[in-house]
Amino acid sequence: MRVLGVDPGLTRCGIAVVDGAVGRELTCVEVGVVRTPVDAELSVRLLAVADAVEGWLDRHKPDVVAVERVFSQYNVRTAMGTAQAGGVVALAAARRGLRVVFHTPSEVKAAVTGSGRADKAQVTGMVTKLLGLTTAPKPADAADALAIAICHVWRAPMRDRLAEAEARAAELARNHKARLAAAAAKRKTT
């Protein structure tokens, strides 16, 4: 599976491509950061992020795009910018018919380090080790994008099986309710 991982942001948007599968070696294909000037108009900054992401999508042809979900931040303005950047990424992927999956920061940290409360240094250290990199990816946004991609590689099969099981359970429940309704209707007529 090839995953484009994105740590959305307006000033720095971490972006990475990882190849891998559960139980197999992970490979860092490319990692980088999209930067936009803080004094530029919001629309110009979002366009810069969109253009960069579209270039990565065209160049690497990922199977899926994994984006860090904006969970909560103290600064509402920063949270809005981060959410808007994530939306631009999701739109670019959707235009290509790619599945977009959002992962929470704690989910990503837990997948990569074993603890949902890991700090940035722990995440960077584990990403470096898991991918066999000779140097740690910098800045932290780049390491976070790699961590998001790794999280998706490892968690996607479980998520997919869970969704299938939920769909089967819902279908069984619908069939059961229909049989109960049919039996009740039959009793009324007899």
Side-chain angles (χ1 to χ4, degrees):
M1 170 185 330
R2 175 164 283 190
V3 180
L4 178 79
V6 181
D7 180 27
L10 283 177
T11 304
R12 288 181 319 273
C13 179
I15 190 164
V17 176
V18 170
D19 285 342
V22 175
R24 296 206 175 151
E25 187 174 326
L26 297 165
T27 305
C28 174
V29 177
E30 186 178 356
V31 62
V33 174
V34 178
R35 297 175 190 273
T36 67
V38 294
D39 57 346
E41 290 287 327
L42 174 63
S43 59
V44 171
R45 296 176 81 185
L46 290 171
L47 179 61
V49 170
D51 287 346
V53 168
E54 287 177 3
W56 280 68
L57 291 170
D58 291 341
R59 190 165 60 250
H60 295 292
K61 310 236 181 302
D63 301 309
V64 64
V65 176
V67 182
E68 185 172 83
R69 179 181 303 280
V70 178
F71 190 60
S72 68
Q73 292 183 348
Y74 298 110
N75 184 333
V76 173
R77 186 170 172 224
T78 302
M80 288 297 294
T82 302
Q84 290 167 324
V88 164
V89 171
L91 176 63
R95 282 193 170 140
R96 287 165 174 76
L98 294 172
R99 184 170 166 221
V100 179
V101 180
F102 291 88
H103 296 278
T104 65
S106 59
E107 179 185 3
V108 172
K109 291 174 185 178
V112 173
T113 70
S115 170
R117 295 179 180 229
D119 62 26
K120 293 236 180 237
Q122 290 171 309
V123 171
T124 299
M126 283 304 295
V127 163
T128 304
K129 185 175 183 173
L130 291 168
L131 293 169
L133 303 175
T134 55
T135 58
K138 291 185 180 170
D141 310 272
D144 288 348
L146 287 166
I148 293 159
I150 292 167
C151 172
H152 187 78
V153 166
W154 287 349
R155 299 242 168 148
M158 178 184 61
R159 275 184 167 204
D160 292 345
R161 284 193 303 272
L162 182 59
E164 288 171 11
E166 288 173 344
R168 279 195 307 270
E171 180 64 24
L172 288 171
R174 281 191 298 276
N175 290 341
H176 182 68
K177 285 180 183 177
R179 284 194 305 270
L180 288 175
K186 187 175 180 181
R187 271 193 305 257
K188 285 183 180 179
T189 60
T190 56

